[in-house]
């Protein structure tokens, strides 16, 4: 029960994030009447610019944690800021002439989202009683996040009940979801980290970043995650085009298909949690990524409107895509290794740097997906069809990411050794568990 409370704030946040990923460009182009180029620049540039704030947010929240012993007020303040930017974005009436204002509103949302997510991810290290619990904790976050994604996909149905109000009902719904669920869930988390004296506070940002970049274990996993995120970004962006133009499905059939996929994805998470506890995170991720990589090779050969084959593939893909629920928990192992090497806790900073990869790889994935569309659906004489480009394009990035991860030498056995050394020589560097209030 206490682990599920941690994951609950991700429900409204994922609903909001998925809705914006799917419909922000639509809002900017069809409602505000910006050109496709201007809308693309606003979204992509906001991701790129906000990524430079992420290490600063991580460093700042680390300092708050060490000075005050609590980072939860900062997380809740970030949620309030996020809701303010959402309300300013969707409630007023904007025109194409307001594109600079719109850019700063989208940028403000991105920075607020990072200000919530970075310390929220890092605080999980303090809520576990034993190391394997981190898998369960992050799995609950992915589970509620997936349920939130289903809500985010469904939010446009509000147009049927509030005709003529544009995106206003969706904007209000997102704000109400966030403020009704997230703060109440976060209030159940109790922080008890001791304050540190001024002389014990960490070094400057650039020294900490340099120390992190010299960590070859972190760099290897960072590169894996970056390339994997590009591939998944291409997959998410082109999936609807693949189903519509490659398999000749209509919109309602695509929506049902995506809903079934999300349900299977959610259902697979407990399997991967139990599998990782028995077999270890490294082996589980190696198997899951390898099979997920091979599944993408089937997409170019799937017959159009063959629903038996399609749903069989969706079921298989949903199960093995659930492996992404272990990505953050393996990063937790890497954080422990970095703590061991540097003799200092820097979880918030590491998650801040992690967010840079998430945002830049997402922006790059969208850009590559656009190039693929120009070479397939939008081309007069396409060299490839969308089925080939979708399957082989995603496979290329997933294969590279899997290959890099397989050569990663930091196993669960190495992590257990690091924890034993920390317990023996410097137990204060271990992330002590705080109880969720009941």
């Amino acid at each position: 029960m206490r682990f599920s409370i941690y994951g609950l704030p991700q429900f409204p946040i994922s609903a909001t994030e998925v809705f914006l990923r799917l419909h922000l460009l639509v809002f900017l182009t069809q409602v505000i009447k910006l050109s496709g180029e201007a809308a693309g620049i606003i979204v992509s540039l906001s991701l790129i610019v906000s990524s430079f704030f992420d290490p600063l947010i991580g460093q700042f929240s680390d300092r708050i944690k060490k000075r005050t012993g609590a980072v939860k007020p900062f997380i809740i303040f970030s949620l309030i800021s996020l809701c303010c930017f959402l309300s300013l974005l969707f409630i007023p009436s904007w025109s194409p002439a307001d594109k600079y204002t719109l850019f700063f509103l989208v940028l403000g949302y991105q920075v607020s989202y990072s200000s919530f997510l970075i310390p929220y991810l890092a605080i999980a290290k303090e809520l576990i009683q034993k190391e394997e619990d981190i898998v369960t904790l992050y799995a609950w976050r992915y589970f509620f996040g997936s349920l939130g994604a289903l809500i985010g996909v469904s939010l446009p149905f509000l147009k049927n009940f509030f005709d003529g109000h544009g995106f206003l009902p969706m904007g209000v719904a997102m704000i109400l979801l966030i403020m009704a669920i997230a703060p109440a869930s976060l209030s159940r988390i109790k922080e008890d980290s001791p304050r540190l004296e001024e002389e014990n506070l960490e070094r400057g940002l650039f020294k900490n970043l340099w120390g992190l970049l010299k960590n070859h274990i972190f760099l290897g996993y960072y590169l894996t995650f970056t390339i994997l995120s590009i591939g998944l970004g291409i997959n998410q962006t082109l999936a609807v085009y693949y189903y519509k133009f490659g398999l000749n499905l209509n919109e309602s059939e695509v929506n049902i298909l995506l809903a079934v996929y999300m349900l299977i994805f959610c259902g697979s998470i407990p399997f991967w949690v139990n599998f990782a506890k028995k077999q270890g995170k490294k082996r589980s991720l190696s198997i899951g990524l390898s099979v997920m990589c091979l599944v993408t090779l089937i997409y170019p050969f799937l017959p159009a409107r063959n629903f038996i084959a399609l749903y069989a593939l969706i079921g298989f893909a949903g199960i093995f895509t659930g492996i992404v629920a272990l990505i953050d928990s393996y990063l937790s192992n890497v954080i422990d290794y970095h703590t061991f090497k540097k003799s200092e806790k820097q979880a918030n900073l590491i998650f801040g740097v992690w967010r840079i990869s998430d945002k830049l790889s997402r922006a790059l994935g969208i850009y590559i997906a656009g190039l693929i569309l120009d070479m397939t659906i939008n081309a007069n004489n396409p060299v490839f069809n969308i089925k080939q480009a979708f399957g082989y394009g995603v496979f290329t990035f997933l294969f590279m990411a899997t290959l890099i991860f397989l050569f990663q030498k930091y196993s669960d056995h190495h992590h257990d050794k690091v924890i034993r050394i920390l317990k023996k020589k410097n137990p204060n560097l271990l992330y002590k568990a705080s109880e969720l209030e009941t």
Side-chain angles (χ1 to χ4, degrees):
M1 177 63 181
R2 59 192 183 90
F3 286 169
S4 62
I5 292 173
Y6 168 79
L8 197 54
Q10 192 65 47
F11 174 77
I13 294 298
S14 289
T16 301
E17 183 68 7
V18 167
F19 175 81
L20 291 179
R21 290 190 184 194
L22 293 174
H23 298 286
L24 182 56
L25 281 175
V26 176
F27 171 73
L28 294 174
T29 55
Q30 295 185 8
V31 177
I32 301 180
K33 305 300 182 182
L34 287 174
S35 66
E37 180 183 12
I41 289 174
I42 285 176
V43 176
S44 299
L45 191 60
S46 69
L47 284 170
I48 294 171
V49 174
S50 66
S51 69
F52 292 102
F53 285 89
D54 291 343
L56 297 172
I57 293 169
Q59 179 87 345
F60 181 68
S61 54
D62 266 331
R63 286 186 177 273
I64 291 176
K65 183 72 175 175
K66 293 177 180 181
R67 289 181 189 274
T68 67
V71 76
K72 192 168 62 176
F74 177 70
I75 298 176
I76 294 176
F77 174 80
S78 300
L79 287 173
I80 296 172
S81 172
L82 185 149
C83 290
C84 289
F85 282 109
L86 282 176
S87 64
L88 290 173
L89 184 62
F90 289 112
I91 293 177
S93 297
W94 300 105
S95 69
D98 300 313
K99 57 185 177 182
Y100 297 108
T101 302
L102 290 165
F103 166 73
F104 283 109
L105 291 178
V106 176
L107 176 62
Y109 164 81
Q110 295 290 354
V111 173
S112 299
Y113 177 58
S114 291
S115 298
F116 157 78
L117 189 63
I118 291 168
Y120 171 65
L121 290 171
I123 203 175
K125 294 286 290 177
E126 300 176 19
L127 305 179
I128 56 173
Q129 300 294 342
K130 49 187 183 296
E131 283 301 313
E132 56 265 30
D133 286 343
I134 197 70
V135 180
T136 306
L137 200 65
Y138 283 134
W140 274 111
R141 188 179 76 85
Y142 268 95
F143 175 77
F144 281 113
S146 300
L147 294 180
L150 287 173
I151 299 298
V153 170
S154 305
L155 279 176
F157 285 110
L158 290 174
K159 290 182 180 179
N160 298 328
F161 303 99
F162 300 95
D163 190 29
H165 290 82
F167 276 65
L168 176 60
M170 285 83 83
V172 172
M174 288 185 287
I175 293 169
L176 291 177
L177 270 176
I178 292 171
M179 297 312 297
I181 296 176
S185 304
L186 289 168
S187 67
R188 303 285 296 277
I189 299 175
K190 181 176 64 177
E191 296 182 272
D192 60 4
S193 298
R195 300 181 185 183
L196 294 184
E197 299 297 329
E198 188 70 27
E199 60 267 23
N200 291 328
L201 292 173
E202 71 274 12
R203 300 175 300 274
L205 174 62
F206 292 106
K207 287 185 178 180
N208 284 329
L209 286 175
W210 179 244
L212 184 59
L213 293 176
K214 291 194 295 183
N215 183 340
H216 67 283
I217 300 296
F218 174 79
L219 280 182
Y221 192 51
Y222 195 69
L223 186 60
T224 298
F225 175 74
T226 301
I227 297 174
L228 177 66
S229 296
I230 294 172
L232 293 177
I234 296 172
N235 180 286
Q236 292 169 358
T237 305
L238 293 181
V240 173
Y241 294 95
Y242 169 77
Y243 295 128
K244 283 187 176 180
F245 297 98
L247 301 183
N248 299 325
L249 304 185
N250 59 45
E251 187 171 351
S252 62
E253 290 170 337
V254 172
N255 289 335
I256 293 172
L257 192 71
L258 292 176
V260 170
Y261 167 80
M262 291 303 300
L263 289 173
I264 296 172
F265 173 85
C266 292
S268 73
I269 291 176
F271 165 78
W272 287 112
V273 170
N274 292 324
F275 192 80
K277 287 183 177 180
K278 295 177 181 178
Q279 301 295 326
K281 302 174 192 175
K282 177 66 188 295
R283 179 178 295 180
S284 301
L285 277 166
S286 298
I287 293 172
L289 291 175
S290 299
V291 176
M292 187 169 66
C293 180
L294 294 175
V295 166
T296 59
L297 290 176
I298 303 176
Y299 283 99
F301 304 100
L302 201 64
R305 300 194 65 79
N306 186 328
F307 289 101
I308 295 176
L310 178 57
Y311 275 96
L313 180 61
I314 284 296
F316 204 62
I319 291 171
F320 282 92
T321 307
I323 193 66
V324 299
L326 301 182
I327 288 176
D328 289 339
S329 64
Y330 188 83
L331 177 61
S332 173
N333 288 14
V334 177
I335 290 173
D336 288 330
Y337 176 78
H338 187 71
T339 303
F340 165 70
K341 295 290 289 185
K342 305 303 293 185
S343 298
E344 186 178 357
K345 295 181 180 180
Q346 297 178 340
N348 287 283
L349 175 65
I350 292 173
F351 276 112
V353 176
W354 195 252
R355 282 286 294 161
I356 295 179
S357 171
D358 184 33
K359 290 181 177 179
L360 295 184
S361 58
R362 177 181 156 198
L364 184 57
I366 292 172
Y367 175 73
I368 294 173
L371 294 179
I372 291 175
L373 288 176
D374 285 342
M375 291 188 293
T376 55
I377 294 174
N378 298 334
N380 293 325
N381 297 303
V383 180
F384 307 100
N385 62 48
I386 187 63
K387 293 172 65 175
Q388 294 171 326
F390 179 73
Y392 299 137
V394 175
F395 168 81
T396 301
F397 288 95
L398 265 59
F399 177 74
M400 289 190 293
T402 303
L403 202 61
I404 295 170
F405 184 74
L406 290 175
F407 283 98
Q408 188 90 352
K409 295 182 178 180
Y410 191 63
S411 66
D412 291 85
H413 172 72
H414 293 122
H415 181 247
D416 291 340
K417 185 177 180 180
V418 165
I419 295 299
R420 286 197 302 269
I421 295 173
L422 285 175
K423 285 181 178 179
K424 183 177 180 180
K425 294 186 176 181
N426 201 344
N428 290 329
L429 290 177
L430 290 171
Y431 288 85
K432 298 181 176 65
S434 303
E435 294 290 342
L436 288 170
E437 297 174 350
T438 56

